Amino acid sequence: MKRRQFMQLLGVSGMAAYLPAPFIKQANAADPNHFWVMVHAGGGWDPTSLCDPKGNALRNDGRGPVNQYQTEQIKSVGNIRYSPYPDSVTDPGIFDNFFTSYQSQLLVVNGIDHQTNSHSAGTRNAWSGSSDMGMPGFAALVAAVTARDLPMTFLSNGGYDFTDSLVSPTRASGSGAFQELAFPNRPNPNDSNQQFLDQNENSSLDIHKLIVDASNKRLNRQIEQELLPQRRTAMSQLFIARNGKNNLNTLVNKLPGQISGGMKGQAEIAVAAFASNMAVSANLVSGGFDTHGNHDNSHFPRLATLLDGVDHLMQEINRHGLADRVTVVIGSDFGRTPYYNNGNGKDHWNVTSLMMLGAGVQGDRVVGATDANFNALAINPESLEVDPNGVVLTPSHVHQNLRRLAGIEESNITKKYGLSNTFINLLG
Amino acid sequence: MDPVASIFQHWDERGRHRVSEQWYSDMETRGFNNVKMPIKFTESSVQWLAQEIVKDPRFVKATVKVMYTGLTGRKPINSQLLNSNENADLREAYVSQRNMLNSLEQQFIAEGYNLKKLAKNIILSAYWRADSLENGVSDTTNTIGSSRLLTPEMLDRKIQAILGFTWKRRSYDSQSRLAGNRNNGYRQLYGGIDSDLVNKRITQVNGMMTAVQKRMVTELSCKAVTLDFFKVRQARQLFPQVSINTSPVDDDGFQVPSAINAIKQNIKHLHWVMHGDSLEIDDVELQHTYDLFNQLKSAGHQLLNSNFNKYRYLPSSCRLYYHPETGERLSNTDEIVLDEDYSVRAWMGVLAYLMSDFKFVYE
């Protein structure tokens, strides 16, 4: 069904009245060809083991070092400093590969105060810019403003995917079954001659189409007759989801022959969905960062998996020729304590970091700072230098930048979800 | 670390009970809610914790909330939303819903913490049963009435219950397409979870999920019709009122009232088993389904007339060659391969129509 016909049908049936408000088109400066990937390190990562390294100098309060690795082993490439592996953990070289490959594109934002050590509040704050409940994640917001009528506009593999009903998140990981779904009436997706329900060029003899038409008419009758708004809304959502654009077969053609597991598979599907005009934003997730015990042995391999996944994501973006159109943001619930507990673990800490690369991001930069004990330092809003009279960065500052970069800050939808802080230009 | 974590000191990271000789000295001693666990419960610390949790008034609130969310598919309105929202309707809806939840909580205590009775009380509540609103009453917060999109596991069980078999990719597969965790399954695509990286269900339908529904409808209607017609009539779940040859018109084109009645009775039966709707025989929706059946038969006859040798056979994946229970090859007279009156495919169409219905995928 063409969009014009589809919208006409909605209008005729009165269904548009039951759509979520943002479905009604609004003028805005947002670019529907700009794609967004939010990579969530689930459980609370440790920036001192990654992009805000401190080393093994002993703390003055007797709580030992921030890290086990030696301070003089801290590595750097360009302006980016990054953590070495401690001697106790085998280094697969993934950190070196990641930071040398992407240094020129990478923005590191250190010293972000999430103001919580609760997983749910921290994750919400990281990805919506506010710890208040009811705030949609950025990925949902940008999808709602720029391309809400795409069939799977916001792909989510978890993380923070609250949408406040602006759009519906779509799950697309963990399946090699796209071909079957792209051709639902073919027993064998590769054989166009065989169908479950007979199809015919003459629409009056097209059994499959007759059934689909009858089903749509029945759903329209149900919507018209339904007296409860809640049920009527659900019916309308079903109608819209069934009759929107469906480029699944295009997506299938853009997927690799064998979809990878874990975050790499999530990345492959997300980028194929961007390339086939099916989605504009995606949440990717890599978990296992909540290392209350045995931190170094557990956390460094998780970080390596995460960076390896982001590397794969960037390769997929390049493979599809989307390098100048995709922005990638990597973050987590919060940080981890700048000292080890009795079980060699690290507990929750409100200060953390975030990394960005891709479209609209000026690379080889580090913004924000922490002291030797991993406390957030205030920065001057103009110069971005450390300034005791300045401000401490929060997720709200990051999201103001994301909204501006996406061109959605003036949208009426975005204005419904205001952010409190004044704007600080982090992206350069 | 908190005192509750200390209660689990004899369990390892895989959930196995392993008595630990040493415990971390910087952790709080075992306890809950500012009460230290008496030493006599050392060997039954988790049982002690359970008793303490049940004593906490928040236990009742949490239990009712979990059951309400599980049954309706929607969380109750969160009071924190009111802090950042001036919507008067939301405030009113919150107060009204809170009254209902308070009542459920009190009933739960009065009935001895009986979960079955709590489930029954939720189902009997006006919020669940409502099918309309009084004049002048609005529901801008969409909290009244029940309509939850079935999870993949729920839909899987529904298919099994109604069609009599599980949706699998191949008949010999051990896992269900919807509920299994195979890589080529649909569980996550249909908004499900893997309890690892993906641990939150999607509750609002999207384009990908409707693609799964479309596949479900075509694949299952194809299989279900021949399987059910193979059974003796008394054992059929879907077609107890008709035979595979029941046709509304005879060979000369004259209507056969008894056959028409049987077909309509069977459609009535299908609306009941698939949607829970008890329709009168002259109900307009029943007539719509009957009209579709006739429309499909009529179109099918034209296809047969255009190319009999092509259209006289069922699609190969819808044919029944093997006994559904024993797996033995059926004789030529028992197998279902031909459909020279297009009846089987008309019923497949009716089944597809009813299976793609809102009432099948939502409850």
Side-chain angles (χ1 to χ4, degrees), chain A residues 20 124 131-134 151-152 155-163 165-189 193-200 202 204-208 210-211 214-215 218-219 221-222 225-231 233-235 237-239 241-243 246 248 251 258-260 262-263 266 278 285-288 292 341-343 347, chain B residues 1 24-26 74 78 80-81 84 128-133 138-140 142-149 169 177 182-186 188-194 197-202 204-215 217-219 221-222 271 275 277 284-285 288 292 295-300 302-303 310-311 315-318 342 345 348-350 352-359 361-362:
Chain A
R124 186 164 59 241
S131 55
D132 286 348
M133 295 185 84
M152 40 197 277
L155 283 170
S156 174
N157 295 284
Y160 183 68
D161 59 9
F162 178 73
T163 70
S165 295
L166 296 175
V167 289
S168 174
T170 297
R171 187 75 33 79
S173 65
S175 179
F178 285 97
Q179 271 195 304
E180 292 168 339
L181 298 181
F183 304 101
N185 195 34
R186 292 184 191 170
N188 176 354
N193 294 319
Q194 287 283 330
Q195 294 130 17
F196 290 115
L197 300 162
D198 288 323
Q199 290 182 272
N200 197 285
N202 178 346
S204 67
L205 301 180
D206 189 324
I207 302 295
H208 183 254
L210 290 172
I211 296 163
S215 297
R218 155 108 166 148
L219 188 51
R221 289 196 299 275
Q222 288 171 312
Q225 291 162 14
E226 180 55 55
L227 298 172
L228 287 176
Q230 186 250 119
R231 223 151 33 207
T233 303
M235 289 172 176
Q237 287 166 349
L238 180 63
F239 183 91
R242 279 194 181 157
N243 292 286
N246 186 344
L248 263 180
L251 186 151
Q258 182 71 37
I259 298 175
S260 307
M263 192 188 130
Q266 297 172 14
M278 294 276 283
V285 179
S286 187
H292 288 284
N341 61 30
N342 278 5
D347 302 320
Chain B
M1 291 292 283
Y24 305 106
S25 59
D26 62 341
R74 295 191 308 276
N78 192 307
Q80 287 188 37
L81 277 179
S84 56
W128 176 282
R129 298 172 68 193
D131 56 12
S132 64
L133 298 171
S138 64
D139 178 28
T140 57
N142 284 350
T143 49
I144 299 172
S146 68
S147 69
R148 70 173 298 172
L149 179 68
R169 193 156 188 267
R177 282 207 150 190
R182 288 245 173 99
N183 193 38
N184 59 6
Y186 297 150
Q188 284 191 58
L189 295 176
Y190 205 70
I193 58 175
D194 65 5
L197 290 180
V198 181
N199 51 31
K200 222 160 79 180
R201 295 180 190 283
I202 288 176
Q204 189 179 328
V205 72
N206 58 49
M208 183 64 77
M209 291 159 84
T210 61
V212 174
Q213 290 172 2
K214 287 171 185 171
R215 185 82 195 178
V217 161
T218 53
E219 248 188 76
S221 61
C222 158
H271 273 276
H275 299 163
D277 282 344
V284 65
E285 283 302 329
H288 279 302
L292 175 66
Q295 191 182 14
L296 297 179
K297 277 204 74 148
S298 170
Q302 290 183 63
L303 292 172
K310 176 180 176 186
Y311 288 106
S316 55
S317 50
C318 308
Y342 219 82
R345 282 166 284 184
M348 276 168 50
V350 167
Y353 169 74
L354 295 175
M355 213 184 301
S356 59
D357 198 84
F358 177 83
K359 291 184 173 180
V361 291
Y362 286 73

Side-chain angles (χ1 to χ4, degrees), chain B residues 120-285:
Chain B
K120 188 175 160 189
N121 290 334
I122 292 171
I123 291 167
L124 289 175
S125 74
Y127 273 79
W128 176 282
R129 298 172 68 193
D131 56 12
S132 64
L133 298 171
E134 285 180 22
N135 282 341
V137 175
S138 64
D139 178 28
T140 57
T141 55
N142 284 350
T143 49
I144 299 172
S146 68
S147 69
R148 70 173 298 172
L149 179 68
L150 297 180
T151 66
E153 293 85 357
M154 288 172 171
L155 191 55
D156 184 61
R157 290 196 291 273
K158 186 170 189 174
I159 289 166
Q160 167 70 43
I162 292 175
L163 303 184
F165 59 89
T166 300
W167 185 18
K168 296 176 180 175
R169 193 156 188 267
R170 300 180 195 85
S171 58
Y172 52 82
D173 280 352
S174 60
Q175 295 211 12
S176 142
R177 282 207 150 190
L178 278 169
N181 57 11
R182 288 245 173 99
N183 193 38
N184 59 6
Y186 297 150
R187 188 172 66 183
Q188 284 191 58
L189 295 176
Y190 205 70
I193 58 175
D194 65 5
S195 303
D196 181 17
L197 290 180
V198 181
N199 51 31
K200 222 160 79 180
R201 295 180 190 283
I202 288 176
T203 56
Q204 189 179 328
V205 72
N206 58 49
M208 183 64 77
M209 291 159 84
T210 61
V212 174
Q213 290 172 2
K214 287 171 185 171
R215 185 82 195 178
M216 171 188 81
V217 161
T218 53
E219 248 188 76
L220 294 184
S221 61
C222 158
K223 185 177 177 188
V225 174
T226 46
L227 271 178
D228 206 62
F229 271 125
F230 178 75
K231 298 173 187 167
V232 294
R233 191 178 285 200
Q234 296 84 340
R236 288 183 202 158
Q237 290 172 266
L238 302 173
F239 304 107
Q241 306 288 345
V242 291
S243 76
I244 203 165
N245 299 316
T246 304
S247 177
V249 291
D250 62 20
D251 292 343
D252 299 320
F254 293 109
Q255 290 198 335
V256 184
S258 60
I260 292 171
N261 184 56
I263 292 166
K264 285 189 173 180
Q265 289 293 346
N266 206 92
I267 289 172
K268 176 180 158 75
H269 172 78
L270 287 172
H271 273 276
W272 168 245
V273 296
M274 299 188 74
H275 299 163
D277 282 344
S278 180
L279 304 181
E280 298 296 331
I281 202 73
D282 57 354
D283 187 280
V284 65
E285 283 302 329

Side-chain angles (χ1 to χ4, degrees), chain B residues 44-89:
Chain B
S44 56
S45 56
V46 177
Q47 287 93 327
W48 178 84
L49 175 65
Q51 294 296 332
E52 291 298 308
I53 288 174
V54 171
K55 276 189 221 164
D56 191 312
R58 290 171 296 180
F59 170 74
V60 172
K61 283 189 178 301
T63 306
V64 169
K65 184 180 171 186
V66 167
M67 288 290 284
Y68 179 87
T69 306
L71 284 169
T72 65
R74 295 191 308 276
K75 287 183 179 173
I77 301 170
N78 192 307
S79 61
Q80 287 188 37
L81 277 179
L82 301 179
N83 300 335
S84 56
N85 199 315
E86 297 300 320
N87 186 335
D89 287 347

